[in-house]
């Protein structure tokens, strides 16, 4: 058996005296969707952020592509960060309102030193096309897009780093029902084509049942039942 | 038909700075019925509900009629269950006192009697040890108990009509069903009708007698809830239902292309035409008027062309837009 993409063991997250996540363990394979499900306040978002080392967990291990992340320094983590990318609930809040969409997507390429003026713009256009947006939308700013379009732009920005793992924190929860299905289809297509692993945070059971391969039920910072 | 209505809305229009958000809406609310108003952002459903209550935001201009005007008797004949149960309660007053104040605001009753009614109302919505809990503050209540207290407040004066504006938006499925069941029971207990405003088509199932589907400020479809859910006649309703993950059969969901229009950005003709897989030339020139179709109202030029089930139609549309 090959190593899982992500292997989380006994994860603990504390905010001051409050223990938000108390010994959570799970694994996630490439090309698989694992959902964290549970009521608000159960620690599912805290778990997801701790996997990304944002912030560092108080205890436990996070193995990602065979590296143990909690023991690495920030400098050692830096080359790994592009390979695990978040997509958040509020599409407007996750893109700078002052930047055009194409600059928001180009930014990770520039930060990672992978921006080449010759083919950079074409790469951005390709990413926009990949998420179902006309490349002309690159000229717009977030407030000029609908919620669904903006979420697609956020996904394009995450893809720019060529990740292996997407941490999707309620990615369709603020979208209109008629728009939600299109974004879920896009995520399914991207996973099929690119073999991405998805850590999928969602409180909507119907969406989880449809979209996830396996489900970790969380209650008060702990794992209840794992199914699927 | 007309005479049995508790409330009749005719040709309601609501505009802000000349931009119409509700564009000529007519419907009745019948006594003791649960009418769900379903729509997405910008559909005008919340504005319609607020118009019934006489609680439109400043700057709204309206035309059309709502008769009788229950908003003159707000708190007595018509009441509101708001979206956010926490901000609906004053944090610095005891819950029982807030309910008693609501009771005293309309009925000429003593403080003692009002307090007794408050306790009885809390007891009716299933707050354990209601007499003691009436003396507690909202922060001492759990989220679910606050929701119950707000429902108790909305029904304490036995109104004719309760308007619930997205009462379950932030809740998971389990809690949503619990709140909707409680709302239904309480409505039944006091003999009120309920207008349930929601964007969640699935919340209609089992919780509403009739459903009014709105799109871009107009009626799309209005009829018995179970019939509309079982066999939608308007393409928009069919698309919304097909795209629900609970109705999915394969990995790809049927989907609607594009997004709901913002008020003021409408193209000529049917507002749904740019997203509609059935749209023809007529749909881009004339706005369809609601017409009677097998016991319901449908506003669509092409309703006869809609296949059933419509899943295939929208699976093709499932491509990114």
């Amino acid at each position: 058996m090959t190593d899982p993409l992500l292997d989380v063991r006994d994860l603990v997250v504390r905010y001051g005296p409050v223990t938000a996540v108390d010994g959570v363990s799970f694994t996630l394979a490439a090309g698989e969707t694992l959902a964290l499900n549970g009521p608000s306040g159960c620690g599912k978002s805290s778990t997801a952020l701790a996997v990304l080392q944002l912030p560092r967990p108080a205890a436990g291990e996070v193995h990602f592509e065979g590296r143990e992340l909690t023991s690495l320094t920030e400098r050692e983590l830096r080359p790994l960060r592009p390979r695990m990318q978040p997509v958040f609930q509020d599409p407007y809040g996750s893109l700078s309102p002052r930047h055009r969409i194409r600059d928001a997507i180009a930014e990770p390429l520039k930060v990672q030193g992978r921006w080449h003026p010759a083919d950079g713009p074409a790469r951005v256009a390709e990413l926009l096309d990949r998420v179902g947006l006309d490349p002309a939308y690159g000229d717009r700013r977030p407030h000029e897009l609908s919620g669904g379009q903006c979420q697609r732009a956020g996904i394009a920005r995450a893809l720019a780093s060529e990740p292996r793992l997407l941490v999707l924190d309620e990615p369709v929860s603020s979208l209109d029902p008629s728009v939600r299905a299109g974004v879920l289809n896009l995520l399914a297509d991207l996973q099929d084509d690119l073999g991405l692993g998805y850590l999928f945070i969602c409180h909507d059971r119907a969406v989880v049942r449809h979209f996830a391969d396996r489900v970790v039920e969380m209650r008060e910072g702990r794992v209840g039942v794992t199914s699927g | 038909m007309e005479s049995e209505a508790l409330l009749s809305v005719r040709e309601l229009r609501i505009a802000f700075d000349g931009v119409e958000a509700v564009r000529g809406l007519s419907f009745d609310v019948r006594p003791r019925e649960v009418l769900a108003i379903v729509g997405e952002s910008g559909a005008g459903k919340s504005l319609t509900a607020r118009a019934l209550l006489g609680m439109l935001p400043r700057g709204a201009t309206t035309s059309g009629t709502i008769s009788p005007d229950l908003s003159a008797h707000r708190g007595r004949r018509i009441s509101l269950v708001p979206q956010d149960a926490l901000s609906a309660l004053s944090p610095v007053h005891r819950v029982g006192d807030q309910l008693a104040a609501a009771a005293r605001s309309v009925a000429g009753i003593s403080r003692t009697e009002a307090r007794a009614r408050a306790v009885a109302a809390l007891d009716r919505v299933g707050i354990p040890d209601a007499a003691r809990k009436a003396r507690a503050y909202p922060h001492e209540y759990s989220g679910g108990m606050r929701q119950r207290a707000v429902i108790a407040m909305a029904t304490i004066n036995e109104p004719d009509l309760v308007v619930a504006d997205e009462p379950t938006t932030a809740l998971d499925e389990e809690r949503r069903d619990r709140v909707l069941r409680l709302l239904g029971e309480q409505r039944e207990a006091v003999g009120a009708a309920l207008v349930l405003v929601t964007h969640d088509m699935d919340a209609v199932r089992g919780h509403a007698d009739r459903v009014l589907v709105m799109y871009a400020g107009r009626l799309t479809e209005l009829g018995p809830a179970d019939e509309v859910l079982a066999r939608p006649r308007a393409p928009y309703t069919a698309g919304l239902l097909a795209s629900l993950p609970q109705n999915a059969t394969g990995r790809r969901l049927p989907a609607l292309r594009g997004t709901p229009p913002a008020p003021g950005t409408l193209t000529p003709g049917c507002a749904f035409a740019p997203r509609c897989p059935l749209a023809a030339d007529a749909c881009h020139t004339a706005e369809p008027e609601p017409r009677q179709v097998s016991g319901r109202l449908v506003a669509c030029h092409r309703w006869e062309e809609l296949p059933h089930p419509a899943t295939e139609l929208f699976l093709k549309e499932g491509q990114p837009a």
Side-chain angles (χ1 to χ4, degrees), chain B residues 5 42 64 98 148 160 166 185 197 206 302 306:
Chain B
Q98 297 185 51
R148 285 168 181 272
D160 298 324
E166 300 269 12
E185 287 162 15
V197 176
R302 307 259 298 156
L306 182 69

Side-chain angles (χ1 to χ4, degrees), chain B residues 6-310:
Chain B
L6 167 69
L7 184 110
S8 292
V9 176
R10 290 294 175 269
E11 274 302 304
L12 178 68
R13 292 176 182 273
I14 305 172
F16 295 89
D17 296 328
V19 176
E20 278 193 335
V22 175
R23 304 182 300 124
L25 182 67
S26 300
F27 64 96
D28 289 345
V29 182
R30 299 172 184 165
R32 305 179 74 104
E33 79 164 339
V34 180
L35 173 68
I37 303 183
V38 180
E40 297 177 281
S41 40
K45 58 190 186 304
S46 280
L47 284 174
T48 302
R50 304 233 150 222
L52 301 182
L53 289 152
M55 289 169 66
L56 284 171
R58 209 180 295 254
T61 53
T62 61
S63 68
T65 59
I66 300 174
S67 63
D69 180 16
L70 295 182
S71 71
H73 311 280
R74 195 163 65 223
R76 181 152 58 99
R77 295 195 60 197
I78 186 169
S79 64
L80 170 70
V81 174
Q83 180 173 346
D84 181 354
L86 179 55
S87 59
L89 294 167
S90 159
V92 296
H93 294 95
R94 296 172 201 275
V95 173
D97 291 349
Q98 297 185 51
L99 266 74
R104 268 171 71 81
S105 69
V106 296
I109 54 174
S110 69
R111 278 172 203 283
T112 320
E113 167 66 13
R115 218 167 286 141
R117 280 197 200 182
V119 172
L122 289 173
D123 186 57
R124 201 182 58 216
V125 295
I127 304 266
D129 198 359
R132 192 175 59 80
K133 270 298 188 187
R135 291 193 297 274
Y137 290 92
H139 74 267
E140 300 174 85
Y141 277 50
S142 70
M145 278 167 58
R146 277 184 216 131
Q147 193 99 42
R148 285 168 181 272
V150 167
I151 291 172
M153 190 162 0
T155 50
I156 194 165
N157 293 318
E158 306 196 346
D160 298 324
L161 177 60
V162 176
V163 178
D165 188 6
E166 300 269 12
T168 60
T169 298
L171 305 181
D172 59 47
E173 220 168 84
E174 236 168 89
R175 283 192 270 183
R176 180 195 75 190
D177 283 334
R178 226 179 302 148
V179 168
L180 291 177
R181 257 201 314 278
L182 179 70
L183 254 179
E185 287 162 15
Q186 295 302 309
R187 174 207 66 76
E188 185 101 51
V190 302
L194 172 66
V195 168
L196 175 66
V197 176
T198 178
H199 68 270
D200 181 358
M201 202 63 171
D202 197 54
V204 173
R205 197 182 304 276
H207 295 292
D209 301 308
R210 293 194 305 149
V211 58
L212 164 59
V213 182
M214 287 185 72
Y215 191 78
R218 285 172 69 92
L219 179 154
T220 295
E221 186 159 8
L222 169 63
D226 47 355
E227 291 174 27
V228 172
L229 290 175
R231 173 132 200 216
R233 294 289 187 173
Y236 173 60
T237 319
L240 261 190
L241 284 167
S243 70
L244 289 178
Q246 40 274 75
N247 296 341
T249 48
R251 179 151 160 91
R252 288 194 68 82
L253 289 167
L256 288 159
R257 64 186 163 202
T259 56
T265 64
L266 295 178
T267 48
C270 174
F272 184 60
R275 307 178 68 191
C276 182
L278 291 178
D281 289 350
C283 306
H284 295 289
T285 52
E287 189 131 43
E289 291 299 325
R291 76 190 85 183
Q292 285 285 345
V293 172
S294 55
R296 68 180 86 160
L297 287 172
V298 177
C300 175
H301 294 303
R302 307 259 298 156
W303 67 272
E304 283 167 297
E305 316 300 322
L306 182 69
H308 182 75

Side-chain angles (χ1 to χ4, degrees), chain A residues 76-99:
Chain A
E76 289 167 331
L77 265 179
R78 204 168 299 149
L80 297 175
R81 286 203 181 276
R83 305 183 64 75
M84 42 182 204
Q85 289 288 308
V87 174
F88 294 110
Q89 173 170 359
D90 176 8
Y92 298 103
S94 30
L95 294 172
S96 164
R98 300 192 345 206
H99 288 169

Side-chain angles (χ1 to χ4, degrees), chain B residues 242 247 249 254 307 309-316:
Chain B
N247 296 341
T249 48
T311 317
E312 286 300 317
L313 195 62
F314 293 98
L315 264 180
K316 274 180 268 165

